[in-house]
Each structure stands twice: as C-alpha cells, then as structure tokens.
Amino acid sequence: MTRKIDGIASLGIDINARSFLLDDEVNDSMLKTCWQALAALGVSKPITMFLNSGGGDLAVAFSIYDLLSNFENQLTIVALGQVSSAATIIWQAADMRMITENSFAMIHSGSLDISSDSSEETIERWVKHSKKYTDKMVAIYSEKMKQSPSKIRKLLQHDTIYIGNECIKCGLADALWIKT
C-alpha cells in the first residue's frame, strides 16, 4: 500500500488535497501524467491542477485540452511559475483559470519544425495543417479571453507576455490564486 501512495506522490498527485502538478515540457509524458492523475483522483469531487510549463508540442496540448475539457469534475488550473506557448492551451481547459501574483503567461502562434529534406508538397501540407491549428488556438483564446478573432490573431503574431493580474485583465485567467 505504501509503495502505491509513494508512486502517486512521485507523479505530483496529492490524493488528500485532490490536486496534481504538471511541471514539464508539453509532451507525451505530460499527457500520460495528466491521465494518471485524473484516474487516481476520480470523478467524485473538484480537482485542482497546478501547471508550470514553457510550452512544447501543440498536438499534445490539444490532446490534454480535450481530455480536461471533457472531464466531469469541476477543474481549477493554477498557473504557477510560467505557462507559455502550448501550455496556455491546456490552461484554457479549466472551469476556473487562476494564476499566482508573480507567475507569467506567454502566447504566440508558435513554430513549425519541418525536416530540411522534405519535399515542397510535404512542406505545403504541413503549412496548411499549421494554419488549422492556429485557427483552433484563435477560437479557444477568443472564446475564453472574450476578444475578437482578429484581435487574438494580432496578439499571436509576436510573443505576448502577461504577468499575474495582467492575465486576468486580458482574459487568460479568471482570478489570482491565494492559498487560504
């Protein structure tokens, strides 16, 4: 029994507090940790997730977003440290998006990594795919931030950085997290 609890704790899952931590690059490992945390915490009560990530794989971010958006529990996600790039998509899946006073968030359109030996047709396909993902990002940010798609597209043209309360003012977060 102790070994199982130690294993859960090593994943950043606190059963008693009904919380877990995602603190890494957005990748397949983060998706697996998220899945394990949700399975361990169950669907009976609200869950708090702490998120600290500089971003990563946008496809995985959308997978985690879909998982969290369709989860039955009330979910609060607290930005802790930084939530940047693809990680901001995950953050938007919460019912309540919170941030600590000194944490920051960064949104942008991201980048596309294509092998230098790819054919022109392959590159064109990836560019079209990238545009579809950008459209999905714009739709999510527009809905959550309550800003027009054109305003969001303008924000995504460059790294746009917000700290603490600025995230609330722009609509990326709902409230400051203050432990009571």
Side-chain angles (χ1 to χ4, degrees):
M1 183 73 170
T2 303
R3 183 173 285 160
K4 183 177 181 184
I5 292 172
D6 289 343
I8 289 173
S10 71
L11 290 174
I13 303 169
D14 184 333
I15 298 290
N16 293 329
R18 300 202 41 80
S19 65
F20 67 103
L21 170 68
L22 291 184
D23 181 30
D24 204 348
E25 178 181 347
V26 178
N27 58 26
D28 291 335
S29 177
M30 180 182 274
L31 174 59
K32 182 179 179 181
T33 299
C34 186
W35 180 270
Q36 291 170 328
L38 295 175
L41 294 170
V43 294
S44 60
K45 297 178 185 173
I47 292 175
T48 300
M49 180 179 100
F50 295 91
L51 179 61
N52 177 35
S53 176
D57 187 325
L58 186 58
V60 174
F62 279 122
S63 295
I64 296 172
Y65 175 88
D66 290 343
L67 176 65
L68 297 174
S69 294
N70 290 294
F71 198 63
E72 295 176 19
N73 295 52
Q74 174 75 22
L75 176 66
T76 298
I77 300 179
V78 179
L80 188 63
Q82 75 166 315
V83 175
S84 296
S85 193
T88 62
I89 294 295
I90 296 168
W91 191 24
Q92 299 309 300
D95 299 301
M96 173 61 75
R97 301 160 300 150
M98 302 184 88
I99 188 165
T100 62
E101 182 178 3
N102 297 303
S103 295
F104 74 92
M106 185 275 292
I107 60 173
H108 63 178
S109 64
S111 61
L112 182 61
D113 293 329
I114 301 173
S115 173
S116 61
D117 61 349
S118 295
S119 70
E120 187 174 322
E121 183 179 340
T122 297
I123 292 170
E124 287 174 7
R125 287 180 183 178
W126 277 108
V127 168
K128 285 180 184 177
H129 175 72
S130 177
K131 288 179 182 178
K132 290 176 186 175
Y133 264 8
T134 299
D135 290 345
K136 289 182 179 296
M137 286 173 37
V138 167
I140 290 168
Y141 291 138
S142 183
E143 176 188 345
K144 291 292 197 161
M145 295 172 71
K146 297 178 179 28
Q147 296 186 29
S148 70
S150 61
K151 168 81 175 184
I152 298 298
R153 286 185 190 284
K154 188 171 183 175
L155 291 172
L156 295 178
Q157 289 176 353
H158 307 282
D159 291 358
T160 303
I161 303 166
Y162 302 99
I163 187 166
N165 276 322
E166 293 173 345
C167 291
I168 298 164
K169 289 177 187 169
C170 79
L172 272 174
D174 300 308
L176 275 181
W177 182 74
I178 302 169
K179 184 72 172 161
T180 56

